[in-house]
Amino acid sequence: MQQRIFSGVQPTGNIHIGNYLGAFRNWVKLQDEYDAIYCIVDLHAMTTDYDPGELEKTRIETAKVLLALGVDPDRSLLYTQSQVPGHAELAWILSTMTPMGVLNRMTQFKEKTAAGASSNLGLYSYPVLMAADILLHRANLVPVGDDQRQHIEVTRDLAERFNNKFGDVFPIPEAHVPERSARVMSLTDPHAKMSKSDPQPKSRVLLLDESDVIRKRIRSAVTDSDPEVRYDTAAKPGISNLLEIMSACTGSPIDSLVDEYAAGGYGRFKDAVADAVIAELAPAKERFVALENGDVRDVLREGGMRANEMAETYQSEVRAAVGLKAF
Ligand code: TYM
């Protein structure tokens, strides 16, 4: 049987090149090799402070970005999480076998609450819902950026606990992380990952940014005072990050980029990085403008119905396994 991949994105706006290079590029690539399911995880987006009208808008915008990047509804399934009640139901079932100690170790919860997010129960149990997303569809592979590894470990752990207790229901999924640019760093602080929620817009390049904004952001990226372009994440984290971004966008190995740009100064190098990013994003930006919101809604409605049918079949197996078979 064809292997299944599943992945998700929070519709919180500010989709950036980290999301693209760490995850979405693989989503598009892998839809030809796998049975692919992609989900706009709107229930997850409710775990931090949000505005309902804004969520409505960003759900559509996120889907539109994914379609513009090349997620193809004829080759993969795209839908929003809230249309499929099985996610929340399975999350509840899995939560009954999640030790508190596992959740206490989650770095994302610690980071988000340290940054000022309210420490609500939904944010705390976020990894359980994420495990449910993946296991609901019996996924084998989960294409994500490096920051999601810990959550995938929890998913594997919960799948094993469930299978040991109730029988062999879930495949044990694996993370699929790109070799390069699995963790694109912030342009204002190369020690922190590029993030949608960073209060500084200068810290990231958005997929829908105009070309002159992209160039400005990359020109102002924090680097160091030694003008040699060289890959060294400890001594030159800012330049190393730009090298990774450029290598991912052009396909040129980092070594040959270093050969080409080692001398000549940071200005010339940064302009070349900006050119590479602008060229990489241009086709998707053009497709984005051409897409109609009505058509995007149709894709999501259709995707939601199909995903729900599949999830219902799978969930009846889970219900039976845990002693909740329908009468
Ligand atoms: P989210 O919405 O934060 O990010 C979407 C995807 O982008 C990747 N990513 C990055 N990759 C490289 N460098 C970065 N700076 C960077 N920032 C983000 C993320 O790794 C992710 O793959 N918890 C998930 C959403 C989710 C999910 C799931 C993912 C919910 N359920 C089930 C996979 C499977 C999240 O918040 O992603």
Side-chain angles (χ1 to χ4, degrees), residues 6-12 16-24 27 41 44 81 108 112 126 129-130 133-134 142-148 151-152 181-185 193-196:
F6 177 92
S7 198
V9 53
Q10 290 196 61
T12 39
H16 51 71
I17 48 167
N19 300 126
Y20 170 63
L21 297 175
F24 303 156
W27 293 17
V41 292
H44 279 95
Q81 188 183 28
Q108 187 164 299
K112 286 203 167 162
Y126 180 112
L129 180 58
M130 179 159 159
D133 300 338
I134 297 166
V142 189
V144 281
D146 180 69
D147 61 328
Q148 299 299 318
H151 290 156
I152 309 288
S181 66
R183 193 178 195 80
V184 175
M185 307 309 274
K193 72 166 183 180
M194 188 178 283
S195 154
K196 296 185 225 158

Side-chain angles (χ1 to χ4, degrees), residues 198-244:
D198 192 317
Q200 285 202 70
K202 275 171 68 177
S203 66
R204 56 187 167 249
V205 167
L206 302 184
L207 295 195
L208 299 175
D209 272 343
E210 296 296 339
S211 302
D212 57 331
V213 176
I214 297 180
R215 192 172 302 281
K216 220 160 61 192
R217 297 272 188 267
I218 291 177
R219 275 192 181 149
S220 68
V222 168
T223 48
D224 54 80
S225 52
D226 153 41
E228 189 193 353
V229 172
R230 174 161 57 81
Y231 189 81
D232 179 342
T233 50
K236 297 168 101 47
I239 288 295
S240 303
N241 187 38
L242 293 179
L243 278 167
E244 290 224 16

Side-chain angles (χ1 to χ4, degrees), residues 124-316:
Y124 181 64
S125 63
Y126 180 112
V128 183
L129 180 58
M130 179 159 159
D133 300 338
I134 297 166
L135 300 178
L136 180 69
H137 289 291
R138 310 295 191 265
N140 309 99
L141 209 63
V142 189
V144 281
D146 180 69
D147 61 328
Q148 299 299 318
R149 279 185 195 276
Q150 196 182 32
H151 290 156
I152 309 288
E153 278 311 309
V154 173
T155 306
R156 291 166 59 85
D157 178 51
L158 289 177
E160 272 163 11
R161 281 173 200 270
F162 186 102
N163 288 353
N164 286 338
K165 194 161 174 192
F166 300 114
D168 222 5
V169 172
F170 299 123
I172 310 298
E174 277 181 36
H176 184 290
V177 174
E179 232 168 82
R180 285 259 169 241
S181 66
R183 193 178 195 80
V184 175
M185 307 309 274
S186 154
L187 299 180
T188 47
D189 173 6
H191 297 287
K193 72 166 183 180
M194 188 178 283
S195 154
K196 296 185 225 158
S197 55
D198 192 317
Q200 285 202 70
K202 275 171 68 177
S203 66
R204 56 187 167 249
V205 167
L206 302 184
L207 295 195
L208 299 175
D209 272 343
E210 296 296 339
S211 302
D212 57 331
V213 176
I214 297 180
R215 192 172 302 281
K216 220 160 61 192
R217 297 272 188 267
I218 291 177
R219 275 192 181 149
S220 68
V222 168
T223 48
D224 54 80
S225 52
D226 153 41
E228 189 193 353
V229 172
R230 174 161 57 81
Y231 189 81
D232 179 342
T233 50
K236 297 168 101 47
I239 288 295
S240 303
N241 187 38
L242 293 179
L243 278 167
E244 290 224 16
I245 291 172
M246 187 167 180
S247 171
C249 289
T250 57
S252 304
I254 287 193
D255 283 352
S256 54
L257 293 176
V258 169
D259 285 347
E260 198 173 340
Y261 294 100
Y266 284 177
R268 175 173 161 260
F269 171 59
K270 281 180 166 176
D271 265 337
V273 177
D275 287 342
V277 172
I278 290 166
E280 176 72 7
L281 299 182
K285 272 203 307 216
E286 237 171 72
R287 284 196 294 264
F288 182 89
V289 176
L291 277 163
E292 300 284 347
N293 283 356
D295 294 337
V296 178
R297 283 200 179 87
D298 288 346
V299 168
L300 293 177
R301 191 178 311 113
E302 170 76 17
M305 282 182 321
R306 269 176 59 208
N308 200 33
E309 273 168 30
M310 288 165 57
E312 264 307 303
T313 310
Y314 283 138
Q315 271 304 89
S316 54

Side-chain angles (χ1 to χ4, degrees), residues 55-131:
L55 180 59
E56 198 59 58
K57 226 175 70 193
T58 46
R59 291 192 317 167
I60 299 291
E61 189 186 272
T62 306
K64 211 165 159 179
V65 167
L66 291 171
L67 294 170
L69 287 174
V71 168
D72 176 359
D74 290 333
R75 288 179 290 165
S76 55
L77 185 56
L78 179 67
Y79 74 103
T80 50
Q81 188 183 28
S82 57
Q83 285 172 282
V84 178
H87 287 273
E89 184 193 30
L90 182 57
W92 178 258
I93 292 170
L94 295 174
S95 77
T96 64
M97 53 192 77
T98 309
M100 306 270 284
V102 167
L103 296 181
N104 288 340
R105 284 198 294 274
M106 293 294 109
T107 50
Q108 187 164 299
F109 178 76
K110 288 182 203 159
E111 279 168 14
K112 286 203 167 162
T113 47
S118 75
S119 58
N120 64 70
L121 181 58
L123 187 62
Y124 181 64
S125 63
Y126 180 112
V128 183
L129 180 58
M130 179 159 159

